[in-house]
Amino acid sequence: MYFGYQDDYEVFVKGPQPRIISPAEETRYVGLTNQGATCYMNSLLQTLYHIPYFRKAVYKMPTNELTKSFGWNKHDSFMQSDVQEFNRGTVVEGTIQDLFEGHQMNYIDCINVDYKSTRKESFYDLQLDVKGCEDVYASFDKYVEVERLEGDNKYQADQQHGLQDAKKGVLFIDFPPVLQLQLKRYDYDFVQDTLVKINDRYEFPLQLDLDREDGKYLSPDADRSVRNLYTLHSVLVHSGVGNGGHYYAFIRPTLSEQWFKFNDGRVSKEDTRWAVEEQYGGEARHPNAYMLVYIRESDKDEIMCNVDEMDIAKHLRVRYKKEQKEREAEELKKKEEAEAARIKHLSEQFRRDIDFDLVDRNGDQVVHFRSLEKPKEDDFTLELSMALTYDDVMERIRLTSHDCVFLRPIPQAISYRGVGHLSEMFTRYNRSSKILYYEVLDIPLPELQCLRSLKVEFCHATKDDTVVYRIRLPQESTVGDVINDLKTKVELSHPDAELRLLEIFMHRIHEIFPLSEENEKINDPYRGDLTLRAEEILEEEKNLGPQDRLLPVSHFTKEPYSARRNFGEPYFLVIHEGETLDAVKLRIQKKLQVPDEEFAQWKFGIWSLIDRFEYLQDSDIVSSHLYKKAGGPWAQYLGLEHSSNSSPEAT
């Protein structure tokens, strides 16, 4: 394994050019920071916030910090909760009832005698079945479905009538102005003792008519003068499995045709198809709607009212203006410091240019400067005094010394205040060189050294374009921070795509970095045989069976004297239990688009940790040649032996 020593590295991203968003496209909506596992809360808060009537009431709450107002400590904010459970704990007296409270009538009606039992109940949200229902209307049909109480299940009426055949059911007395529908996306698996996610396709309309079929959902006591026609306001989505995952929301803040996706701190514009139809779910599609919020048309004007500054409590207005002034003062200070630094840099550069002509020639040295992008060509020369310090000469330029042994830049650039005088830059391993490599920086070197720059190849799931991005993150950042930053810059195949970060060494997948890995521990990919690569995790890789394996694949060719040389782009392939090599080959040929005649020349086998190769026959069960337990991507991989110029994927 190669270990790099440079403090910072760049990120190269393979993918299309990022879409530049013009100022006119920028939204005035902002996201909410995830405080550990509070995405469930963030999605619900965004939904409630964009109900203006509710927002007015919240502004009158005398609280300084939201999570503290719930009595939560720091530990509680990292405990993921259910949206419905959380919602029922956010009561703003009176407003919750006005907006969200509806009433239903539970009844039992005897068939053969004149006896009926009724009970009125209030609700703030409705739990609707997903399993076995194709859409919301089917769920409401099931909700009010009449149950027959007969045989051994007869209803015990009063003392006069005793056991009786009866009909049992629920009808609605009234619906609330804001209707919250909780979709029952989970079943309990008693065998596995765990919650199982129901990903069945389930449709929901932009307009929901609960007066359909002559008010079939309404009780005889319902006020039929109220028109129960609702418009979809927001769709809360859960992505993941039964015991974990991520929450976000699609919202129409003004009920216009424009939807927005609120995903923790990120807010993006979305069209109706992504916000609605793509959240219906379906086979093996984990992101799907978990909660729907509808607003009644007849109450829309009152609920979607204007909220102006005077609706905000005075203590909040005072606090906001104070924070705004502090931000403006801080921004002004940064601008002034940047301008002062620029003027200082220009004046010092001017002074140095004059000094070059006036210095004592006895202490001078002609230095050859080369760009790191063209390390074998002299770019320019300067006559510098060896008494000058690095910090005297450079502010927006970073220098790297020359390796006199390998005749290339050393791995580590010269750090700010890292050397005393320029003479120290030219001596390495008791050898002296008068070559320096330079980089023009866009931010001051002291500031740059507080950051970690990363270089990653991003592989789009369906495109081959390559784009280079430079990403800078704080030194304490993690791989998860890199992934999140990349998601804001690259084009994904779909909005909920998940990424992973790999280390590729000598054209082989060497490591999959966990999201918690600190960036400072990742090797610096300054050498040509070591790269970092980010790629989308395919759906089939997320649903592996207990005996399935995710196996790295690498191209190689035999060199003279039996030497092996890897080449091309390695990738992962799912190996299913009991799958023969012949079946695996069909999938590989389809993925790489290799012609039949050419593919027939390829050979396949398993490389092991000790660099031993075992050829496979078409009838061999691939999984039977693998270790029982996966030992990381470097332990075993599938080798594709063929000519290095025989495949477009192998270049």
Side-chain angles (χ1 to χ4, degrees), residues 57-75:
V58 173
Y59 282 152
K60 294 178 173 56
M61 293 175 62
T63 178
N64 291 323
E65 185 177 343
L66 181 61
T67 51
K68 287 184 179 179
S69 72
F70 293 115
W72 288 1
N73 55 32
K74 185 175 181 181
H75 172 74

Side-chain angles (χ1 to χ4, degrees), residues 7-9 446-453 472-478 481 517-521:
D7 286 338
D8 47 86
Y9 56 99
E447 182 179 338
L448 177 64
Q449 291 189 176
C450 295
L451 304 175
R452 179 86 161 159
S453 299
R472 293 182 179 133
L473 296 170
Q475 293 282 5
E476 65 274 12
S477 61
T478 64
D481 297 323
E517 182 78 272
E518 297 176 359
N519 289 331
E520 63 181 5
K521 296 182 180 178

Side-chain angles (χ1 to χ4, degrees), residues 23-39:
E25 290 183 289
E26 293 180 356
T27 74
R28 57 189 177 91
Y29 303 108
V30 296
L32 295 172
T33 301
N34 192 323
Q35 297 184 36
T38 58
C39 54

Side-chain angles (χ1 to χ4, degrees), residues 177-188:
V178 180
L179 181 63
Q180 300 183 109
L181 303 180
Q182 298 281 344
L183 307 184
K184 295 162 71 172
R185 284 281 185 186
Y186 302 100
D187 262 352
Y188 185 75

